[in-house]
Amino acid sequence: MQHNEEKTCWNCPAALLKGNVDFRACGQSIAVIQNKISEEGLLIECTRRPELGMFEPSITFEQCPEWRETQYGYLLKEMRVMILGIDGYLGWTLALKIAKLGCRVSGIDNYLRRNAVAEKGSKSVVPIADMETRLKTAKEQHGVDIDFRELDLLDRDELAEYLREVQPEAVVHYGEIPSAPYSMVDAEHAIRTQHNNTLGTLGVLFLIKEICPEANILKLGTMGEYGTPLTGRPIFEGLFPADAVLTWRGQEWSMGGELTPRDPASFYHVSKVQDTFNVYEACKYWWLRSYDVMQGVIFGVHTEEVAAHPDLRTRLDVDEWFGTVINRFVAQAVLGIPLTVYGSGEQIRGYLALEDAMECMVRLLSSPPEPGQYDVVNQLSQLYKVKELAEIVARVGSRRHGLTVRIQRVENPRIEADEHPFLVVAKKLRENLGYQPKTPLEVEIDRMFTLLLQPRVRGRLESVRDTVFPKTWWSGEHKETMTLEVYEPGTHVMAGYSPDLVVSDHDGDE
Ligand SMILES: NC(=O)c1ccc[n+]([C@@H]2O[C@H](COP(=O)([O-])OP(=O)(O)OC[C@H]3O[C@@H](n4cnc5c(N)ncnc54)[C@H](O)[C@@H]3O)[C@@H](O)[C@H]2O)c1
């Protein structure tokens, strides 16, 4: 059985809501609307099958000839998907994956990421082609046509024109500045991050409302929005579950359905929290539908589609602004720099391989929320301590690639708890959408070593060596980061809290 076979036109972005309920102007809660629907009925028109006229939205994905079965569930045939930020690490990878699955992919980018990495004096250590070459190679290797427009999503007139032309049935919004350290450099970088991300997203929401209000909006948030609750309170999937209760002054108050507290960890994370509220409100005011994807830290370089040709590779950054931790550790191991663990290294975070992240996104595309539904998924496959990751990278580097790898604890330039409980609920992707993690951490780390040790890539890595060591302090000071201790892998025991990941009701804590 496919996870989405019983969904109906009600979830389908090809259905135009018609008839006697004026959804988008009513400003009512879903419960009130649903009452109206059951009393007065609801009719739709299908943009793909106009011959059906007006009808009740009851055809299931399994029954509808416009939805076809794939290994990730039913997928709308030739679904028109627009990717904002298509030139990025995730955007390009997803574009190839869904184009190969038969989606009609379009995308925009203003190359902000390429320029910001250059500002740091760095570059993608895996060479990446320019967009023209990427598109040409995608056609040659995979037989897919991807439509690209170079534009800044803050330019609403141009974006409006493109949205009108494409009429997307799904919009994947990756087009933001994704770096916490970048946002903490100084006022200019903090303001740029919040301006680009928050105001960019707000503008996009208005355009979607005007031009393609039925589109499934996949908005990228981050697990970093939640922070690390020191009480050990579970990190639910964005919203409190129905049975959550606050007891205060001897009385019980239901928390069910309310947004869970956010405790962002940098000005970048604040921009994501602000986005969360804006997306939530847009769903409430205008009956847009969205998944807010609280994504863990992504690692790796591999999907079948990007590995098919050197000109299809996605970027991989290792500098202190844009490199994510596992990617940076592998680079440091290749460069012979002891792996830089900040502070105690007991920080726990959620992680996900690139390949798995792409599968999750396809599943979310295949299963649009209902009109007006703001939904949240915690998208990660495993929790690790930073110190533990350093051990795993060191092990793979030495056993499989003959490298001598050491680990260094350095002063923590961030303001964060070094030791904290971490109880994360991430059930929806697995229980409702059929996702099972496929890429073991060691396998992906091994692939990264193999790629980074290629002479051409290694040469590029050497040329950005100076950008790897952390220098950006959350305190705003401009100073070197001191090494506290250098040690051999396997000599330090894990202490403190254990990571706790709940992926199913059967895990039994709720
Ligand atoms: N990579 C991760 O580990 C990770 C983890 C959690 C969340 N995320 C989120 O996922 C999204 C994508 O991340 P990524 O790693 O692919 O980052 P990325 O920087 O590689 O991709 C973002 C792309 O958006 C483009 N962009 C930014 N602002 C734009 C604008 N105003 N107009 C047009 N294009 C613009 C950039 O040029 C870049 O190509 C981001 O929102 C990020 O915050 C990433």
Side-chain angles (χ1 to χ4, degrees):
M1 172 167 171
Q2 295 283 8
H3 65 89
N4 60 349
E5 68 183 36
E6 283 171 6
K7 291 209 160 183
T8 65
C9 314
W10 186 232
N11 292 82
C12 179
L16 290 182
L17 303 171
K18 293 269 173 179
N20 31 20
V21 183
D22 184 1
F23 294 96
R24 298 187 201 284
C26 63
Q28 294 288 359
S29 73
I30 290 183
V32 172
I33 298 284
Q34 275 165 353
N35 261 343
K36 270 188 118 176
I37 291 168
S38 57
E39 282 164 19
E40 300 173 24
L42 167 79
L43 298 178
I44 61 153
E45 235 175 270
C46 178
T47 52
R48 288 173 169 243
R49 300 168 74 197
E51 69 279 7
L52 296 180
M54 304 243 285
F55 60 100
E56 283 191 12
S58 55
I59 303 172
T60 65
F61 289 181
E62 189 187 15
Q63 293 163 340
C64 179
E66 291 298 311
W67 287 79
R68 83 190 155 78
E69 204 169 353
T70 73
Q71 59 178 313
Y72 306 113
Y74 285 89
L75 206 57
L76 192 56
K77 272 186 200 162
E78 298 188 3
M79 190 194 316
R80 298 187 299 276
V81 184
M82 185 180 286
I83 301 177
L84 312 179
I86 195 172
D87 187 51
Y89 176 47
L90 305 179
W92 178 244
T93 315
L94 184 68
L96 290 180
K97 175 151 192 104
I98 59 176
K100 266 203 89 176
L101 279 169
C103 294
R104 281 169 55 192
V105 181
S106 57
I108 64 148
D109 209 292
N110 64 349
Y111 304 124
L112 186 154
R113 171 63 177 260
R114 293 190 190 227
N115 296 331
V117 173
E119 181 199 334
K120 181 69 192 167
S122 191
K123 59 188 168 199
S124 168
V125 294
V126 173
I128 50 170
D130 58 38
M131 186 49 88
E132 205 184 325
T133 311
R134 280 183 155 181
L135 299 175
K136 191 166 141 283
T137 315
K139 175 80 178 161
E140 287 161 6
Q141 294 292 318
H142 297 307
V144 297
D145 284 302
I146 297 171
D147 194 54
F148 173 71
R149 200 67 61 92
E150 179 181 344
L151 67 87
D152 185 336
L153 62 81
L154 285 158
D155 183 340
R156 286 188 294 119
D157 288 343
E158 269 203 61
L159 183 55
E161 194 182 300
Y162 195 37
L163 283 165
R164 280 202 185 91
E165 192 181 312
V166 173
Q167 288 294 332
E169 292 159 317
V171 175
V172 179
H173 183 9
Y174 280 137
E176 299 204 333
I177 297 174
S179 163
Y182 180 92
S183 75
M184 300 305 293
V185 171
D186 55 18
E188 192 185 304
H189 289 79
I191 291 167
R192 190 167 185 217
T193 302
Q194 294 207 354
H195 184 258
N196 187 69
N197 295 1
T198 304
L199 301 186
T201 298
L202 188 56
V204 165
L205 291 169
F206 269 88
L207 292 178
I208 291 176
K209 169 205 159 219
E210 280 163 30
I211 299 166
C212 48
E214 320 297 350
N216 177 9
I217 308 166
L218 269 57
K219 165 69 183 60
L220 266 289
T222 150
M223 285 296 293
E225 287 188 31
Y226 298 120
T228 54
L230 295 179
T231 57
R233 174 192 45 77
I235 295 179
F236 298 111
E237 301 201 80
L239 309 165
F240 280 111
D243 57 355
V245 168
L246 170 73
T247 306
W248 187 61
R249 291 188 171 168
Q251 200 175 332
E252 291 194 338
W253 308 82
S254 169
M255 305 290 288
E258 289 189 27
L259 288 177
T260 52
R262 303 297 201 269
D263 186 12
S266 71
F267 291 126
Y268 152 70
H269 290 101
V270 173
S271 76
K272 294 293 200 183
V273 172
Q274 177 77 47
D275 287 349
T276 281
F277 279 93
N278 286 338
V279 176
Y280 177 77
E281 296 304 321
C283 292
K284 192 164 82 188
Y285 304 152
W286 307 322
W287 276 59
L288 303 188
R289 59 182 106 202
S290 179
Y291 282 117
D292 205 353
V293 182
M294 300 300 140
Q295 186 169 252
V297 185
I298 308 290
F299 58 91
V301 284
H302 182 82
T303 64
E304 203 185 303
E305 298 80 25
V306 298
H309 191 279
D311 285 341
L312 293 179
R313 283 283 180 191
T314 196
R315 59 179 315 117
L316 187 79
D317 296 286
V318 300
D319 64 86
E320 62 132 355
W321 283 357
F322 290 101
T324 51
V325 59
I326 302 177
N327 298 352
R328 275 165 56 71
F329 279 169
V330 175
Q332 290 171 348
V334 172
L335 285 170
I337 301 172
L339 313 188
T340 50
V341 166
Y342 298 174
S344 72
E346 291 281 333
Q347 302 90 328
I348 306 166
R349 298 287 184 271
Y351 296 87
L352 189 66
L354 181 62
E355 204 171 21
D356 280 0
M358 296 301 108
E359 173 171 340
C360 289
M361 295 299 281
V362 176
R363 288 180 181 275
L364 293 171
L365 282 169
S366 77
S367 190
E370 296 180 2
Q373 189 183 358
Y374 167 83
D375 205 352
V376 186
V377 292
N378 288 348
Q379 181 166 290
L380 58 131
S381 66
Q382 196 52 270
L383 303 177
Y384 296 99
K385 291 188 173 183
V386 172
K387 214 158 88 177
E388 187 183 358
L389 291 172
E391 294 285 342
I392 297 169
V393 170
R395 195 164 60 235
V396 177
S398 62
R399 290 201 190 146
R400 303 259 180 87
H401 300 275
L403 298 168
T404 304
V405 186
R406 290 189 305 160
I407 302 171
Q408 60 181 318
R409 287 201 311 107
V410 301
E411 287 177 307
N412 192 346
R414 301 180 174 221
I415 308 291
E416 63 183 8
D418 270 17
E419 298 198 17
H420 56 89
F422 206 50
L423 166 52
V424 175
V425 180
K427 294 192 303 196
K428 290 185 196 165
L429 273 158
R430 300 197 205 203
E431 291 211 320
N432 305 349
L433 291 135
Y435 161 67
Q436 284 301 324
K438 299 214 169 48
T439 317
L441 178 61
E442 285 84 351
V443 168
E444 191 56 28
I445 289 175
D446 187 33
R447 283 183 183 137
M448 273 195 274
F449 270 117
T450 305
L451 189 60
L452 266 55
L453 283 164
Q454 286 175 8
R456 181 161 168 237
V457 180
R458 197 170 180 165
R460 289 173 70 90
L461 198 48
E462 281 295 346
S463 73
V464 301
R465 176 185 280 272
D466 289 348
T467 66
V468 173
F469 208 73
K471 292 192 178 111
T472 306
W473 286 77
W474 265 225
S475 62
E477 293 163 283
H478 296 280
K479 59 179 186 182
E480 290 303 310
T481 307
M482 305 301 287
T483 299
L484 303 171
E485 177 191 8
V486 179
Y487 63 92
E488 298 296 327
T491 58
H492 279 42
V493 288
M494 298 297 147
Y497 297 99
S498 301
D500 197 349
L501 179 62
V502 176
V503 296
S504 131
D505 268 337
H506 309 299
D507 292 354
D509 77 321
E510 278 185 55

